[in-house]
Amino acid sequence: MHRIGYLLTDGFQVMGLATQTVFEYANKVAGEDFYVVQNFSAEGGDQRSSLGVAIATRKASEAEQIDTWMVCGVGNPLESPSSPEERAFLKRVGRDARRIAAICTGAFVLAEAGLLERRRATTHWYFARDMQTRFPDIQVEDDRIYIVDGAFWTSAGMTAGLDLALAMVEKDLGEDVARGVARNLVMHQHRSGGQTQHSEMLTLAPKSDRIQNALNYARKNLARALTVEELAEEVNLSPRQFSRVFTAETGLSPAKAIEGLRLEAARLMIEKSRHPLEIIARETGFRDRRHMREVFIRGFGVPPQSMRRDVRAGA
């Protein structure tokens, strides 16, 4: 039996509790009550979420042996710092707990308790720079879904907490159980911790349907050599007009944007497949493996081989 304690702070984001469903379904898939989940707070009693939903909690100091503590984040950690009681409690349990995890801005609570000093951590990208400024001894990686550093797990935005919880299930009960949980929860994929928080499609964020349609078309046809003329024809614009509108709406030229889409697609294949790099380069539209390597170094600062080694090491 593995006991999981959720530490709720005043104004917690209720989305953080969605991760409890991962452990619930892990029990169902495994066919045993491996996980026992309970809600706690520093003072006990009802805790209100940012939406005003009240959740009954037990007093954390009275908890029996907890194997994993999960700290839920709040909407704005700069305006709602942790209490002295919460920090003192986490400092104490930090010496004994098998794992202590933070969902989203819950990483600020761990940082305020001094548990992340000289460690790697992540949090929601919006607050990552603030976290690095306030806690310079922490290596904040603002572009990761989740990070595991020893006993301390931190995740990015709220939905990334689901990936973190699923990774815990995989570590505790194996890949087959984790895959079954993902299937039951209709999770599109189990994202690795090294995956970026950002999507190239979201970053571009065009304002018109025409440019969005052009991007969708490009993403579906990355294996082919895509030209401005082809994209312009797809959305019924002249090449010159298409280039002008595309750059105005996305801030990038069509060629630069498509390179970003190729880079993102290649990274996902490296993380999720065992295909040789030559095949990945061909499937994502790079001229060859050498060309993909050049773009990787320019975009990520590391070659594809290093990224694949890091993913396998993390796994």
Side-chain angles (χ1 to χ4, degrees), residues 270-285:
I270 286 171
E271 290 180 345
K272 294 300 178 183
S273 77
R274 294 185 177 274
H275 293 312
L277 294 180
E278 291 83 358
I279 292 178
I280 293 175
R282 184 172 68 243
E283 290 294 317
T284 53

Side-chain angles (χ1 to χ4, degrees), residues 185-204:
L185 297 183
V186 199
M187 294 176 68
H188 178 62
Q189 62 176 344
H190 175 195
R191 298 183 294 178
S192 67
Q195 186 167 325
T196 178
Q197 293 189 35
H198 305 288
S199 164
E200 188 69 21
M201 292 291 284
L202 292 176
T203 303
L204 292 171

Side-chain angles (χ1 to χ4, degrees), residues 73-136:
V74 297
N76 189 332
L78 306 180
E79 297 177 355
S80 304
S82 59
S83 68
E85 294 78 13
E86 290 161 350
R87 294 193 292 272
F89 172 77
L90 287 171
K91 284 181 181 179
R92 180 171 63 81
V93 300
R95 296 189 296 266
D96 305 317
R98 174 181 166 188
R99 287 187 300 227
I100 297 184
I103 301 171
C104 194
T105 56
F108 277 80
V109 182
L110 299 190
E112 288 160 0
L115 298 180
L116 298 180
E117 290 181 2
R118 294 182 296 280
R119 293 188 179 275
R120 297 168 57 237
T122 190
T123 189
H124 192 288
W125 60 267
Y126 187 85
F127 295 104
R129 183 172 297 179
D130 294 305
M131 186 174 183
Q132 186 66 86
T133 301
R134 288 182 59 188
F135 306 102

Side-chain angles (χ1 to χ4, degrees), residues 22 107 177 198 256:
V22 173
V177 173
H198 305 288
K256 195 67 177 176

Side-chain angles (χ1 to χ4, degrees), residues 7 40-44 58-65 69 85 89 92-93:
L7 184 66
F40 297 93
S41 63
E43 62 276 15
R58 294 174 54 196
K59 195 169 184 178
S61 60
E62 299 173 358
E64 300 173 3
Q65 179 61 43
W69 282 99
E85 294 78 13
F89 172 77
R92 180 171 63 81
V93 300

